[in-house]
Structure formats: structure tokens, C-alpha cells
Amino acid sequence: VEDHPDLHPTNALTLMAFMVQGHVPGRGEYGKTMDAAIAYLISVGEKQVGYMGGSMYEHGLATLALSEAWGQSKNSKIRDALRAAVDVTLRAQNGAGGWRYQPQPVDADLSVTVMQLVALNSAREAGIAVPDQTIRKAVGYVLKCWNPGGGGFCYQPSGGEESPRFVTTAAGVMSLIMSGQRDHPKTRRGLAILVAFPDIKFKVGYGGYWLYAHYYAIQDMYQAGDTLFQPWYPKIAAPLVNEQWKDGSWNIQEGPIFSTGMAVMILGVPYRFVPIYQR
């Protein structure tokens, strides 16, 4: 794989897509391919002192991929790269408890924060130390993004949307669930909003961040239990399957590699192979 910053997120995402289907680094048909992707991510971290980005979006995805790979591998270099990546994330948390595009503790938004929370909780499950205070502060930031008037989550605490946004509400609910707050009143309210949102949410491309939104929303429904997940899954699976090209790829958002990885992650939820996404 060429050393190019635009490949960091697609490397991590496609690695996750393999794992969500039960493929394991170093073994089976795709073992060598997965090992090569892991080696690339490790090399990026070594060159950038733990930072896996382009931006904190990429960093969060790569940290998550390394964490889930570490749970299936004995390669100590993965553990070292993961620890360094987590250290970067911990230092980048801002005073309000959130994260922004760059690894400095200056600003924050919900879309970047949710990626860091998923990655940190995955790292915790893999045995990497993450302070409780970090998670508590992040939960505090997410709750500040709640919009009492519209009944959903905003992009930032000052967002002031008049009505709920599907994508940010999906991200807010996922943030709380990953932080051990699945029974919080705002988690339950956010789930209800997602379900009640008009079915245009399932129309391919709706809202401009359609794959991001459903990547989080399908996890929200799965974590909430079969009562919500079972009726939801066919409604997102059908339009996704219809959009698949003859060569097996998708091209819905940010190019075919990103789209295909996200589509596999959404469709693969019932496989239950990736630990962080299990109930």
C-alpha cells in the first residue's frame, strides 16, 4: 500500500470490514492481506508518534481497527501502536470533554467525539488503560449536545437546530451507549427519535452523510435489542443491497473504497464477530 494520508481511513475501514465478517489477521484466505493493512497502520503510527491521521476521524478509525486486530493477534507491535494511538487521543480531549479534527485540545464536535469514544472503549476491552475520567468528561460533552427544543443531538452544544438531525442523533446515542449509558434517559429518547424519524432516512444519500448516519444508527438499534433491531435491519439492508455494483462494490459517499467498507460494516452487524459491536 502506498504511503498516502488519504489511504489511512480506507485502510482502517476495510480492515474492519474483513473482521466484521469473521476474518482473522494472519489466517485464512485474507490473512496476509489483513497483515499488510495492519503493518501499514503501524508504520503510520511510528512515523507520526502515535497519530494515525490525516484528521482525528482517521485517527479514531485506525485506533479502532488496531484495537480489534490486537484482540485477534499476538503481534506485540499492534499493542504498542495501539497504546501510542490511545495516548494521542487522551491528550487531544478538550476541556469540555470532546474532540475535534486535529489532535489538539482546543475545540470539539459530536461527529469526531463519537469516533474517539468507540475507539477508546474498544481499546479498554483490549486491555489498554483508559481513565474513567476521560469517559465521564466525554459523556458530559455529549449530553451538552442535546437539544431540548428539538429533542435530538446537535453537532455542537451551540448548534441550536430547531428539529432533530438524524445523523447527529445517531452519533449521540452511540456515544452514550459506548460509554456505558445505554439506560440514560437521553439515550432512550434519542432511540425513540431515530425510530420515529420519517422513513426517508432509508433513502440512499439522504442528508449528505447517509453512510455515517446508518453506521451509527444500526449499532444503536442492535445495542437496544431485537425489538428495535429486527424491524430496522431489513429497511437499511434492502436499499444498500440494491446499490451494490456488479463487481461487489458500492459508491455512495466518498468513493468506492470508503462506501464499500461502510456498507459491509452496516450489513455485517448480525454476524457479531467484532467484540466492540457485540451486545
Side-chain angles (χ1 to χ4, degrees):
V1 180
E2 294 180 12
D3 187 7
H4 190 285
D6 290 343
L7 295 175
H8 301 178
T10 53
N11 247 314
L13 187 58
T14 49
L15 183 58
M16 289 291 297
F18 278 113
M19 289 189 284
V20 84
Q21 298 175 78
H23 300 295
V24 178
R27 284 183 272 168
E29 182 179 1
Y30 303 109
K32 290 183 178 179
T33 300
M34 297 174 72
D35 279 346
I38 290 168
Y40 174 74
L41 292 177
I42 291 172
S43 72
V44 171
E46 289 174 346
K47 291 176 182 177
Q48 301 187 157
V49 198
Y51 184 47
M52 308 300 298
S55 77
M56 287 298 287
Y57 280 117
E58 289 89 335
H59 180 78
L61 275 171
T63 303
L64 174 61
L66 286 174
S67 176
E68 295 301 318
W70 170 235
Q72 306 177 56
S73 173
K74 295 180 180 179
N75 181 355
S76 61
K77 288 186 177 181
I78 300 176
R79 177 198 59 207
D80 296 341
L82 176 59
R83 282 177 173 165
V86 167
D87 285 344
V88 170
T89 304
L90 297 179
R91 292 196 301 270
Q93 187 179 32
N94 83 335
W99 288 266
R100 192 65 158 154
Y101 299 115
Q102 298 304 317
Q104 289 87 33
V106 178
D107 200 358
D109 71 65
L110 186 56
S111 68
V112 178
T113 296
V114 62
M115 285 196 167
Q116 312 316 310
L117 280 170
V118 174
L120 288 176
N121 280 281
S122 175
R124 265 188 163 186
E125 289 188 0
I128 304 299
V130 176
D132 290 340
Q133 178 65 10
T134 298
I135 304 300
R136 285 197 296 269
K137 285 178 61 179
V139 168
Y141 177 77
V142 173
L143 293 176
K144 289 176 184 176
C145 292
W146 180 260
N147 179 1
F153 286 95
C154 301
Y155 179 68
Q156 292 178 304
S158 60
E161 285 94 340
E162 293 181 1
S163 60
R165 291 187 64 194
F166 180 71
V167 61
T168 51
T169 299
V173 171
M174 184 64 170
S175 298
L176 294 179
I177 289 174
M178 287 290 108
S179 301
Q181 300 292 322
R182 66 177 63 230
D183 294 324
H184 194 284
K186 288 184 172 59
T187 305
R188 296 196 297 270
R189 176 60 181 150
L191 284 166
I193 289 169
L194 293 174
V195 171
F197 204 93
D199 274 2
I200 192 174
K201 64 196 173 197
F202 296 113
K203 182 179 179 182
V204 176
Y206 169 76
Y209 301 98
W210 192 73
L211 286 172
Y212 278 121
H214 283 285
Y215 169 67
Y216 294 123
I218 192 66
Q219 295 296 337
D220 295 340
M221 297 302 142
Y222 178 70
Q223 294 294 331
D226 285 344
T227 300
L228 293 184
F229 178 72
Q230 293 298 338
W232 185 284
Y233 183 76
K235 292 181 180 180
I236 185 58
L240 266 178
V241 170
N242 288 338
E243 283 291 315
Q244 189 177 26
W245 290 26
K246 290 182 179 179
D247 65 359
S249 69
W250 282 264
N251 193 6
I252 298 170
Q253 178 184 326
E254 298 184 32
I257 300 177
F258 177 86
S259 294
T260 301
M262 290 294 278
V264 171
M265 291 294 292
I266 293 167
L267 292 171
V269 168
Y271 289 117
R272 303 183 177 101
F273 285 121
V274 176
I276 189 61
Y277 295 140
Q278 294 173 0
R279 287 179 182 148

